mmCIF file of all heavy atoms in Angstrom:
data_model
loop_
_atom_site.group_PDB
_atom_site.id
_atom_site.type_symbol
_atom_site.label_atom_id
_atom_site.label_comp_id
_atom_site.label_asym_id
_atom_site.label_seq_id
_atom_site.Cartn_x
_atom_site.Cartn_y
_atom_site.Cartn_z
ATOM 1 N N GLY S 180 -7.598 -17.198 21.567
ATOM 2 C CA GLY S 180 -8.995 -17.469 21.256
ATOM 3 C C GLY S 180 -9.891 -17.705 22.452
ATOM 4 O O GLY S 180 -11.117 -17.594 22.340
ATOM 5 N N ASN S 181 -9.333 -18.033 23.585
ATOM 6 C CA ASN S 181 -10.182 -18.314 24.755
ATOM 7 C C ASN S 181 -9.497 -17.820 26.022
ATOM 8 O O ASN S 181 -9.446 -18.519 27.037
ATOM 9 C CB ASN S 181 -10.454 -19.817 24.850
ATOM 10 C CG ASN S 181 -11.526 -20.138 25.876
ATOM 11 O OD1 ASN S 181 -12.433 -19.345 26.115
ATOM 12 N ND2 ASN S 181 -11.408 -21.307 26.492
ATOM 13 N N CYS S 182 -8.963 -16.588 25.951
ATOM 14 C CA CYS S 182 -8.190 -16.081 27.092
ATOM 15 C C CYS S 182 -8.975 -15.022 27.863
ATOM 16 O O CYS S 182 -10.083 -14.626 27.479
ATOM 17 C CB CYS S 182 -6.854 -15.503 26.616
ATOM 18 S SG CYS S 182 -6.992 -14.002 25.651
ATOM 19 N N LYS S 183 -8.380 -14.578 28.946
ATOM 20 C CA LYS S 183 -8.994 -13.556 29.799
ATOM 21 C C LYS S 183 -8.915 -12.188 29.127
ATOM 22 O O LYS S 183 -7.926 -11.841 28.500
ATOM 23 C CB LYS S 183 -8.248 -13.544 31.143
ATOM 24 C CG LYS S 183 -8.780 -12.535 32.143
ATOM 25 C CD LYS S 183 -8.149 -12.750 33.521
ATOM 26 C CE LYS S 183 -6.658 -12.499 33.518
ATOM 27 N NZ LYS S 183 -6.081 -12.585 34.878
ATOM 28 N N TYR S 184 -9.979 -11.402 29.273
ATOM 29 C CA TYR S 184 -10.003 -10.019 28.805
ATOM 30 C C TYR S 184 -9.952 -9.102 30.027
ATOM 31 O O TYR S 184 -10.700 -9.304 30.996
ATOM 32 C CB TYR S 184 -11.292 -9.719 28.035
ATOM 33 C CG TYR S 184 -11.351 -10.251 26.625
ATOM 34 C CD1 TYR S 184 -10.998 -11.572 26.316
ATOM 35 C CD2 TYR S 184 -11.780 -9.442 25.580
ATOM 36 C CE1 TYR S 184 -11.072 -12.068 25.027
ATOM 37 C CE2 TYR S 184 -11.861 -9.926 24.268
ATOM 38 C CZ TYR S 184 -11.505 -11.234 24.007
ATOM 39 O OH TYR S 184 -11.573 -11.721 22.724
ATOM 40 N N ILE S 185 -9.076 -8.107 29.973
ATOM 41 C CA ILE S 185 -8.933 -7.181 31.090
ATOM 42 C C ILE S 185 -9.087 -5.749 30.601
ATOM 43 O O ILE S 185 -9.042 -5.474 29.403
ATOM 44 C CB ILE S 185 -7.561 -7.341 31.785
ATOM 45 C CG1 ILE S 185 -6.416 -7.037 30.792
ATOM 46 C CG2 ILE S 185 -7.413 -8.735 32.393
ATOM 47 C CD1 ILE S 185 -5.037 -7.020 31.429
ATOM 48 N N CYS S 186 -9.275 -4.842 31.537
ATOM 49 C CA CYS S 186 -9.380 -3.424 31.188
ATOM 50 C C CYS S 186 -8.879 -2.595 32.362
ATOM 51 O O CYS S 186 -9.219 -2.867 33.522
ATOM 52 C CB CYS S 186 -10.827 -3.053 30.865
ATOM 53 S SG CYS S 186 -11.060 -1.342 30.311
ATOM 54 N N ASP S 187 -8.060 -1.584 32.066
ATOM 55 C CA ASP S 187 -7.513 -0.688 33.080
ATOM 56 C C ASP S 187 -7.851 0.725 32.638
ATOM 57 O O ASP S 187 -7.231 1.257 31.718
ATOM 58 C CB ASP S 187 -6.000 -0.886 33.188
ATOM 59 C CG ASP S 187 -5.371 -0.079 34.311
ATOM 60 O OD1 ASP S 187 -6.111 0.643 35.011
ATOM 61 O OD2 ASP S 187 -4.145 -0.156 34.485
ATOM 62 N N SER S 188 -8.860 1.343 33.262
ATOM 63 C CA SER S 188 -9.370 2.610 32.740
ATOM 64 C C SER S 188 -10.118 3.396 33.810
ATOM 65 O O SER S 188 -10.696 2.820 34.740
ATOM 66 C CB SER S 188 -10.317 2.338 31.563
ATOM 67 O OG SER S 188 -10.972 3.509 31.132
ATOM 68 N N TRP S 189 -10.143 4.724 33.618
ATOM 69 C CA TRP S 189 -10.962 5.570 34.489
ATOM 70 C C TRP S 189 -12.443 5.239 34.333
ATOM 71 O O TRP S 189 -13.236 5.478 35.241
ATOM 72 C CB TRP S 189 -10.720 7.053 34.173
ATOM 73 C CG TRP S 189 -11.289 7.484 32.848
ATOM 74 C CD1 TRP S 189 -10.681 7.438 31.641
ATOM 75 C CD2 TRP S 189 -12.593 8.025 32.611
ATOM 76 N NE1 TRP S 189 -11.514 7.896 30.653
ATOM 77 C CE2 TRP S 189 -12.693 8.275 31.221
ATOM 78 C CE3 TRP S 189 -13.683 8.309 33.434
ATOM 79 C CZ2 TRP S 189 -13.843 8.803 30.638
ATOM 80 C CZ3 TRP S 189 -14.836 8.837 32.850
ATOM 81 C CH2 TRP S 189 -14.905 9.080 31.468
ATOM 82 N N LEU S 190 -12.808 4.639 33.200
ATOM 83 C CA LEU S 190 -14.208 4.274 32.983
ATOM 84 C C LEU S 190 -14.680 3.185 33.949
ATOM 85 O O LEU S 190 -15.879 2.971 34.113
ATOM 86 C CB LEU S 190 -14.403 3.796 31.541
ATOM 87 C CG LEU S 190 -14.331 4.886 30.472
ATOM 88 C CD1 LEU S 190 -14.214 4.264 29.096
ATOM 89 C CD2 LEU S 190 -15.538 5.807 30.541
ATOM 90 N N LEU S 191 -13.717 2.508 34.590
ATOM 91 C CA LEU S 191 -14.077 1.488 35.584
ATOM 92 C C LEU S 191 -13.951 2.022 37.012
ATOM 93 O O LEU S 191 -14.024 1.253 37.969
ATOM 94 C CB LEU S 191 -13.193 0.245 35.409
ATOM 95 C CG LEU S 191 -13.290 -0.496 34.078
ATOM 96 C CD1 LEU S 191 -12.528 -1.811 34.151
ATOM 97 C CD2 LEU S 191 -14.729 -0.726 33.659
ATOM 98 N N ALA S 192 -13.766 3.337 37.153
ATOM 99 C CA ALA S 192 -13.679 3.921 38.495
ATOM 100 C C ALA S 192 -15.005 3.742 39.225
ATOM 101 O O ALA S 192 -16.060 4.153 38.722
ATOM 102 C CB ALA S 192 -13.340 5.408 38.392
ATOM 103 N N PRO S 193 -15.007 3.144 40.403
ATOM 104 C CA PRO S 193 -16.263 2.904 41.116
ATOM 105 C C PRO S 193 -17.001 4.186 41.478
ATOM 106 O O PRO S 193 -18.237 4.190 41.636
ATOM 107 C CB PRO S 193 -15.826 2.129 42.364
ATOM 108 C CG PRO S 193 -14.357 2.366 42.492
ATOM 109 C CD PRO S 193 -13.836 2.591 41.114
ATOM 110 N N GLU S 194 -16.272 5.290 41.588
ATOM 111 C CA GLU S 194 -16.892 6.567 41.954
ATOM 112 C C GLU S 194 -17.917 7.035 40.919
ATOM 113 O O GLU S 194 -18.823 7.811 41.238
ATOM 114 C CB GLU S 194 -15.823 7.650 42.123
ATOM 115 C CG GLU S 194 -14.841 7.414 43.257
ATOM 116 C CD GLU S 194 -13.756 6.418 42.930
ATOM 117 O OE1 GLU S 194 -13.580 6.072 41.739
ATOM 118 O OE2 GLU S 194 -13.073 5.954 43.879
ATOM 119 N N LEU S 195 -17.782 6.566 39.688
ATOM 120 C CA LEU S 195 -18.676 7.020 38.632
ATOM 121 C C LEU S 195 -20.122 6.615 38.875
ATOM 122 O O LEU S 195 -21.046 7.265 38.381
ATOM 123 C CB LEU S 195 -18.210 6.475 37.277
ATOM 124 C CG LEU S 195 -16.876 7.005 36.755
ATOM 125 C CD1 LEU S 195 -16.523 6.333 35.436
ATOM 126 C CD2 LEU S 195 -16.917 8.514 36.593
ATOM 127 N N SER S 196 -20.333 5.563 39.652
ATOM 128 C CA SER S 196 -21.709 5.116 39.912
ATOM 129 C C SER S 196 -22.521 6.167 40.650
ATOM 130 O O SER S 196 -23.753 6.196 40.537
ATOM 131 C CB SER S 196 -21.702 3.806 40.702
ATOM 132 O OG SER S 196 -21.084 4.000 41.969
ATOM 133 N N ALA S 197 -21.825 7.049 41.397
ATOM 134 C CA ALA S 197 -22.523 8.116 42.109
ATOM 135 C C ALA S 197 -22.585 9.407 41.299
ATOM 136 O O ALA S 197 -23.263 10.353 41.688
ATOM 137 C CB ALA S 197 -21.838 8.386 43.449
ATOM 138 N N LEU S 198 -21.887 9.451 40.188
ATOM 139 C CA LEU S 198 -21.808 10.674 39.391
ATOM 140 C C LEU S 198 -22.591 10.589 38.091
ATOM 141 O O LEU S 198 -22.755 11.599 37.402
ATOM 142 C CB LEU S 198 -20.334 10.980 39.062
ATOM 143 C CG LEU S 198 -19.385 11.112 40.262
ATOM 144 C CD1 LEU S 198 -17.950 11.307 39.770
ATOM 145 C CD2 LEU S 198 -19.811 12.267 41.166
ATOM 146 N N LEU S 199 -23.058 9.415 37.749
ATOM 147 C CA LEU S 199 -23.785 9.203 36.499
ATOM 148 C C LEU S 199 -25.121 8.524 36.783
ATOM 149 O O LEU S 199 -25.251 7.782 37.762
ATOM 150 C CB LEU S 199 -22.960 8.309 35.564
ATOM 151 C CG LEU S 199 -21.713 8.936 34.928
ATOM 152 C CD1 LEU S 199 -20.829 7.841 34.327
ATOM 153 C CD2 LEU S 199 -22.105 9.938 33.858
ATOM 154 N N PRO S 200 -26.112 8.730 35.924
ATOM 155 C CA PRO S 200 -27.392 8.028 36.107
ATOM 156 C C PRO S 200 -27.231 6.532 35.912
ATOM 157 O O PRO S 200 -26.337 6.077 35.185
ATOM 158 C CB PRO S 200 -28.283 8.646 35.016
ATOM 159 C CG PRO S 200 -27.343 9.240 34.014
ATOM 160 C CD PRO S 200 -26.128 9.659 34.778
#
Side-chain angles (χ1 to χ4, degrees):
N181 191 30
C182 68
K183 180 170 64 175
Y184 283 48
I185 61 174
C186 184
D187 185 0
S188 172
W189 71 272
L190 288 167
L191 298 189
E194 296 79 14
L195 293 178
S196 62
L198 304 176
L199 288 166

